[in-house]
């Protein structure tokens, strides 16, 4: 019997868009403002603005002043790690995989290493 190889296999994914709404960013995500694409920022927190509920406040590593953005404002994603629970399309094996949405896209289907 072949041993399962959860680290291998085949993932079908949808690539991330070039820009992502500010509301989709989470702690530790790396991003840049479209007007300053070379200035890489790492989100430390993202929360509703204390007084303007239609705005988000994002604290970025190394920045003293937080960014205030509209939740729909489009930012450039650089690194967005997310944990996905994947189920093999063929044998229903399950695994958790940490993927970078920017590098790997959003997984839609997975075939495990034993079935691939
Ligand atoms: Zn499988």
């Amino acid at each position: 019997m072949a041993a399962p190889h959860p680290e291998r296999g085949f993932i079908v994914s949808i690539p991330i868009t070039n820009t992502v709404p500010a509301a989709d960013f989470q702690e530790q995500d790396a991003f840049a403002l479209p007007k300053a694409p070379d200035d890489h920022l790492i989100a430390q927190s993202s929360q509703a603005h204390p007084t303007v509920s239609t705005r988000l406040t994002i604290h970025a590593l190394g920045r003293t002043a937080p960014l205030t953005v509209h939740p729909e404002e489009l930012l450039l994603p650089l690194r967005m790690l997310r944990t996905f629970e994947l189920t093999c399309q063929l044998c229903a094996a399950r695994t958790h995989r940490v993927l970078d949405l920017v590098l790997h896209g959003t997984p839609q289907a997975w075939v495990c290493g034993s079935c691939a």
Side-chain angles (χ1 to χ4, degrees):
M1 194 174 90
H5 295 285
E7 299 310 316
R8 291 192 275 158
F10 184 76
I11 295 177
V12 177
S13 60
I14 295 179
I16 197 169
T17 49
N18 290 334
T19 55
V20 172
D24 290 355
F25 287 87
Q26 301 177 4
E27 284 176 44
Q28 302 305 318
D29 285 346
F31 65 99
L33 303 175
K35 62 189 175 193
D38 295 326
D39 189 4
H40 295 184
L41 303 168
I42 296 174
Q44 291 197 292
S45 68
S46 175
Q47 59 217 102
H49 191 278
T51 53
V52 187
S53 61
T54 54
R55 292 288 185 275
L56 285 177
T57 299
I58 300 177
H59 289 267
L61 198 66
R63 288 281 184 111
T64 47
L67 300 163
T68 298
V69 296
H70 190 278
E72 300 295 320
E73 186 170 332
L74 296 173
L75 306 177
L76 303 176
L78 299 171
R79 189 188 65 231
M80 299 177 78
L81 297 180
R82 298 290 184 273
T83 301
F84 293 93
E85 185 176 310
L86 302 173
T87 302
C88 176
Q89 298 291 301
L90 299 179
C91 73
R94 294 161 88 103
T95 189
H96 287 85
R97 205 70 82 84
V98 176
L99 300 172
D100 180 350
L101 300 186
V102 178
L103 275 181
H104 306 114
T106 302
Q108 301 298 303
W110 175 63
V111 173
C112 78
S114 300
C115 297

